[in-house]
Amino acid sequence: MSQIRVRVVGAGFSGAVAARLLAERGAWVELWDKRAHIGGNAFDTQDDHGVWMHPYGPHIFHTQSQKVFDWLSRFTEWRPYEHRVKASVDGKLVPMPINRTTINQLYNLDLDEAGVEAFFASVRQPYHPPANSEQAVWSCVGQDLCDKLYRGYTRKQWGRDLSELSASVVTRIPVRTNDDDRYFSDAYQYMPKDGYTAMFERILDHSHITLRLNHPFDPTDAAHKAGCDALVYSGPVDAYFQYTYGALPYRSLRFEHTHHTNTDPYQPTAVVNFPNEQAYTRVTEWKHMTGQVCSGTTLTYEYPTDVGEPFYPVPSDASQQQFDRYKVLCEAQENVVFIGRLAEYRYYNMDQAVASALAKSSALASRLGLMAEGV
């Protein structure tokens, strides 16, 4: 039996997936998390009113990867869910991402698909390739739609103008000429039937995994790195290296949760974006998303901020150049693996975090001489 010991820092998607794979390959895994719960920001629970919700904002699972979907399906049944978002613009609630309905409602038109394509062609300002998010949006839908739907939201979300952010920020969002109002078009769009927390409990239910909650990792404490053959780290990469090249920019979120006893539903879709007129970026009504049937309804308002727990790496050329210096340090570490949004400084979706964790922890297992997958 293997005596290889691995310490995993962080019990969110990246850490939990890595812990399970390494345990199944024969390692003895200690999983540390500074919070009192598993699941990281995907943790879900009932609020004081019995409404099932995500305290850290909405997490919607979607992927094109059958491998990722099949791996997670070992630990959950699924409930089909196609996410839909409205945006509050000019006193109207219009579909976001932009589609034919959005254009017709905003401009009081009655265009068919060909008419919408002609409309886009008439307003586009092409940049090949776009140097930033502003140019990417102008190249796709022009300046007016950029200002109505993208600029204000981006300023609130990232604390920066579109022109200061990489083009990849907005190219994640599709633009359609038909009436498809789904936020995602991936082949697999589901929510865990029993919730994310239950799925994480099953992922971590292995005899080789020891879970230590309320157990923060201190990269300056040698004892926290001792007693193991390898370390898998999913925290902020700059903190691990004691801010050698300065603090990387991350964005955080502040949440306000409110409950309404007599209003159900409160809004027409699970999420309504507020790109312009409010301090918050979006409001989530949980019962649309979870499918729960109960009295009353709970809403969550999101306020982006630079203060607090890091949620998102800031996708700009300057931050990428700063991270590249940290990446050199990461690659020089022996038997330390950096995984996830904060450690890899990548704006991962959940499925991308799972795919990266599977690949990186499998490579680590091979380097440590653990049993082959499926043995």
Side-chain angles (χ1 to χ4, degrees), residues 123-164:
V123 298
R124 287 185 183 120
Q125 296 178 237
Y127 290 87
H128 302 293
N132 53 52
S133 282
E134 181 180 65
Q135 292 182 6
V137 177
W138 286 358
S139 294
C140 190
V141 297
Q143 287 193 33
D144 191 55
L145 284 167
C146 176
D147 291 341
K148 288 180 185 297
L149 287 161
Y150 292 87
R151 190 178 301 283
Y153 192 96
T154 301
R155 169 62 70 176
K156 287 188 285 185
Q157 178 70 19
W158 297 106
R160 290 159 176 79
D161 188 68
L162 278 164
S163 61
E164 301 175 81

Side-chain angles (χ1 to χ4, degrees), residues 2 4-9 14-30 71 203 206 208-209 230-233 337 339 357-371:
S2 169
I4 297 294
R5 298 190 175 274
V6 180
R7 185 163 298 140
V8 178
V9 178
S14 297
V17 169
R20 180 69 186 215
L21 184 146
L22 289 163
E24 290 181 342
R25 297 280 290 267
W28 295 89
V29 179
E30 270 191 0
W71 194 90
I203 291 172
H206 192 283
H208 280 213
I209 297 175
L231 177 71
V232 177
Y233 177 79
V337 178
I339 59 172
L358 289 172
K360 289 196 166 191
S361 54
S362 180
L364 174 63
S366 298
R367 290 199 302 272
L368 293 173
L370 295 168
M371 71 174 86

